[in-house]
């Protein structure tokens, strides 16, 4: 852009050289208006168009297992597209705080331009007409569409509209402390009877068996609950693969709730009731519990000196759930909440980077996140640094029974209810049957 200091010189040049005057004076006018010169004008010094600003809230900050991944993705996006799109990032301290804030913003109709649709946020935005589907963007970009894959796209499609783009495939079993297992004389369970027996043997050996939690979305507890339901016959598997179930009064749910009650009463940490994810993660990483249900994104924590003791990563193994089963689903991923055509296009560009092959590679290398594309493979350096990542992939490939997480199938208000229902169950204020009925009543409110 031509600076005011040189305008006197420019005006003199315009007076002396008529030919140059048209180009130079026109160039100054272009700079003032912020519009690029037209092709063939002879000007190469016009001002670049200011980048489009988009808002983005993220919970992947601080000590979050995916904080490094998030930081690197934004860094590389800025290096590549910073002159086109300016991502205005607001950091939110936890997953639960993020979900609460987005729901509050959605109530006023003012969501960020890019939204992670986790924990029922996708339903809130779709019902509130606050999101833009990706169909037209994907149809114009077959390479991006192929990088996501049909299965991942189908998982986030409603009535033919693709509302969000998944950024990862979740293959979730559980991690266990090999040293504790050896001292207790056990191995990963192949049946649920053996799983319960392992808990008793770990307790007898002086260890707390499980890092559970009932606060927030009861994540680590509900992964095990999902596994109990999903492996309980054809009906259980069907339930755990059904979007928005409305009837929780099933034998599979009631049996699983009774088992979870026993786990919380006898085999978890003292703070499990009301504990958040950070409490459960810390219990396992600090050697205070023998098992935690969680995904491969946690692997980096095991060698992080701020989270685990030195050498702890060598003690960790990974296992599938009983009945050779595994939670296998696609993350809801990113949604466009932008309101104008310009910000929607900018949001799409940011989401495409994060979910395309580049973003998936960054997520794998910096966050141990399973990519949705088979084209993205772990580097030799990653395999050497995190051999348990390779073990996780091997375990996933061997499993035959798959089902989804509860968070990915139930209505948002059901997800919100667990933190209140589990304490009632454990305290004996409600039976498993009564909890199942409460869940059914809560789901019915969405009709």
């Amino acid at each position: 852009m031509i600076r005011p200091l040189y305008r006197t010189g420019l005006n003199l040049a315009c007076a002396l050289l008529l030919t140059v005057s048209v180009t130079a004076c026109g160039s100054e006018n272009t700079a003032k208006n912020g519009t690029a010169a037209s092709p063939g004008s002879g000007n190469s010094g016009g001002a670049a168009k200011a980048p489009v600003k988009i808002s983005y809230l993220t919970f992947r900050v601080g000590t979050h297992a995916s904080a490094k991944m998030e930081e690197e993705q934004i860094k590389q996006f800025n290096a590549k597209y910073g002159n086109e799109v300016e991502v205005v990032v607001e950091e939110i301290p936890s997953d639960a705080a993020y979900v609460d804030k987005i729901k509050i913003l959605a109530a006023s109709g003012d969501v960020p331009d890019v939204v992670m649709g986790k924990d029922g946020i996708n339903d809130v935005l779709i019902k509130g007409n606050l999101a833009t589907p990706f169909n037209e963007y994907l149809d114009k970009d077959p390479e991006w569409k192929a990088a996501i894959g049909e299965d991942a796209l189908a998982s986030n499609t409603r009535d033919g509209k693709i509302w969000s783009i998944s950024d990862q495939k979740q293959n979730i079993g559980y991690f266990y402390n090999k040293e504790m297992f050896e001292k207790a004389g056990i191995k990963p369970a192949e049946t649920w009877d053996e799983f319960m027996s392992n808990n008793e043997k770990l307790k007898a050996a002086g260890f707390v068996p499980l890092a559970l939690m009932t606060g927030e979305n009861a994540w680590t507890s509900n992964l095990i609950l999902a596994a109990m339901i999903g492996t309980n016959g054809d009906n259980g598997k069907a339930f755990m693969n059904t979007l928005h179930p409305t009837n929780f009064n099933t034998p599979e749910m009631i049996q699983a709730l009774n088992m979870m009650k026993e786990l919380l009463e006898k085999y978890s940490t003292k703070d499990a009731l009301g504990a958040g994810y950070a409490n459960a993660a810390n219990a396992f990483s600090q050697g205070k519990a023998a098992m935690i249900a969680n995904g491969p994104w946690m692997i980096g924590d095991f060698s992080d000196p701020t989270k685990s003791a030195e050498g702890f990563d060598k003690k960790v193994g990974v296992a599938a759930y009983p009945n050779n089963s595994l939670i296998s689903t696609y993350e809801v991923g990113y949604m466009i909440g932008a309101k104008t055509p310009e910000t929607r296009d900018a949001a799409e560009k940011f989401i495409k980077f994060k979910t395309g092959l580049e973003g998936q590679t960054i997520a794998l290398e910096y966050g141990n996140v399973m990519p949705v594309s088979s084209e993205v493979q772990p580097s030799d350096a990653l395999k050497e640094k995190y051999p348990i990542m390779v073990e996780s992939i091997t375990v996933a490939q061997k499993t035959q029974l798959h089902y989804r997480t509860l968070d990915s199938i139930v209505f948002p208000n059901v997800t919100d209810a667990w933190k209140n229902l589990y304490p009632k169950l454990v305290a004996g204020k409600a039976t498993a049957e009564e909890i199942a009925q409460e869940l059914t009543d809560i789901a019915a409110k969405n009709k």
Side-chain angles (χ1 to χ4, degrees):
M1 181 178 288
I2 300 170
R3 299 178 181 176
L5 180 62
Y6 299 118
R7 286 179 180 166
T8 301
L10 176 59
N11 292 335
L12 178 60
C14 289
L16 294 175
L17 299 172
L18 180 60
T19 304
V20 177
S21 69
V22 176
T23 303
C25 294
S27 177
E28 182 180 23
N29 186 58
T30 297
K32 286 180 180 178
N33 293 329
T35 306
S38 60
S41 66
N43 172 58
S44 59
K49 185 178 179 181
V52 179
K53 288 186 178 182
I54 57 171
S55 55
Y56 174 57
L57 275 61
T58 178
F59 51 89
R60 292 167 171 163
V61 297
T63 60
H64 195 282
S66 297
K68 292 180 181 178
M69 174 198 83
E70 182 78 286
E71 181 183 10
E72 188 63 24
Q73 282 184 334
I74 294 174
K75 176 184 174 182
Q76 291 197 30
F77 175 82
N78 287 339
K80 191 169 185 177
Y81 298 109
N83 62 331
E84 301 174 42
V85 179
E86 180 181 344
V87 183
V88 181
V89 180
E90 181 180 344
E91 298 184 348
I92 307 298
S94 70
D95 297 52
Y98 173 83
V99 173
D100 290 343
K101 180 154 187 175
I102 295 296
K103 288 180 179 178
I104 291 171
L105 292 172
S108 65
D110 187 24
V111 297
D113 296 317
V114 175
V115 180
M116 169 63 77
K118 68 191 300 281
D119 294 358
I121 288 175
N122 57 335
D123 290 317
V124 173
L125 266 61
I126 293 170
K127 289 180 180 179
N129 196 28
L130 297 171
T132 298
F134 285 88
N135 298 61
E136 289 187 13
Y137 289 113
L138 289 163
D139 288 343
K140 293 176 183 177
D141 196 332
E143 289 187 6
W144 182 30
K145 193 172 185 178
I148 305 303
E150 292 183 6
D151 290 343
L153 292 174
S155 71
N156 288 314
T157 298
R158 311 263 185 96
D159 298 324
K161 294 182 179 180
I162 302 169
W163 291 103
S164 59
I165 302 294
S166 180
D167 65 333
Q168 59 181 280
K169 185 174 184 179
Q170 295 183 335
N171 289 327
I172 306 171
Y174 67 93
F175 298 107
Y176 65 97
N177 188 309
K178 293 187 288 187
E179 191 175 87
M180 292 181 181
F181 266 47
E182 184 178 351
K183 290 180 179 179
I186 60 175
K187 59 180 179 61
E190 296 181 6
T191 66
W192 285 108
D193 285 343
E194 187 181 359
F195 184 84
M196 300 304 284
S197 175
N198 280 355
N199 287 316
E200 188 60 35
K201 290 177 181 178
L202 284 164
K203 186 176 180 180
F207 305 119
V208 174
L210 290 160
L212 300 177
M213 52 173 280
T214 66
E216 299 172 352
N217 62 344
W219 176 250
T220 65
S221 299
N222 274 357
L223 291 176
I224 295 177
L225 185 72
M228 291 173 174
I229 300 167
T231 56
N232 195 347
D234 291 339
N235 289 339
K237 178 184 177 183
F239 181 93
M240 287 310 306
N241 285 291
T242 298
L243 181 63
H244 297 157
T246 55
N247 180 24
F248 292 78
N249 291 306
T250 69
E252 297 79 20
M253 173 62 73
I254 292 167
Q255 183 178 349
L257 286 170
N258 279 320
M259 291 174 68
M260 185 55 63
K261 180 177 185 291
E262 184 177 356
L263 294 182
L264 287 164
E265 286 177 334
K266 298 170 60 176
Y267 301 123
S268 191
T269 55
K270 293 180 180 179
D271 69 345
L273 289 179
Y277 171 77
N279 304 89
N282 182 68
F284 181 75
S285 294
Q286 293 297 317
K288 298 175 183 177
M291 292 179 280
I292 186 170
N294 210 5
W297 54 83
M298 193 184 188
I299 289 172
D301 290 358
F302 304 148
S303 56
D304 184 339
T306 67
K307 298 179 180 180
S308 305
E310 184 178 354
F312 181 72
D313 57 316
K314 304 297 188 299
K315 299 179 181 180
V316 180
V318 61
Y321 296 109
N323 296 9
N324 192 26
S325 70
L326 199 73
I327 290 172
S328 183
T329 187
Y330 292 98
E331 177 60 90
V332 174
Y334 299 97
M335 307 180 75
I336 297 176
K339 299 176 180 62
T340 69
E342 188 178 43
T343 53
R344 284 177 189 142
D345 289 349
E348 181 268 344
K349 185 180 288 290
F350 182 55
I351 294 170
K352 180 165 68 173
F353 179 84
K354 285 177 74 64
T355 61
L357 296 181
E358 285 180 274
Q360 289 183 48
T361 300
I362 295 169
L364 174 60
E365 296 294 322
Y366 286 84
N368 296 301
V369 169
M370 295 283 188
V372 296
S373 172
S374 59
E375 289 187 46
V376 180
Q377 296 293 326
S379 65
D380 291 339
L382 184 68
K383 292 177 183 177
E384 184 176 352
K385 185 177 182 180
Y386 299 124
I388 193 173
M389 184 69 184
V390 179
E391 188 179 349
S392 295
I393 295 172
T394 302
V395 167
Q397 290 173 339
K398 290 181 178 179
T399 55
Q400 296 178 332
L401 176 59
H402 299 140
Y403 37 86
R404 300 172 66 180
T405 64
L406 281 160
D407 280 6
S408 69
I409 65 170
V410 301
F411 288 109
N413 60 343
V414 174
T415 297
D416 291 340
W418 293 109
K419 58 180 175 285
N420 298 318
L421 297 181
Y422 271 131
K424 289 174 62 175
L425 177 67
V426 176
K429 295 181 179 180
T431 64
E433 289 81 1
E434 289 169 336
I435 295 296
Q437 183 58 51
E438 284 198 52
L439 290 166
T440 301
D441 293 341
I442 292 168
K445 294 179 181 178
N446 294 278
K447 293 180 180 178

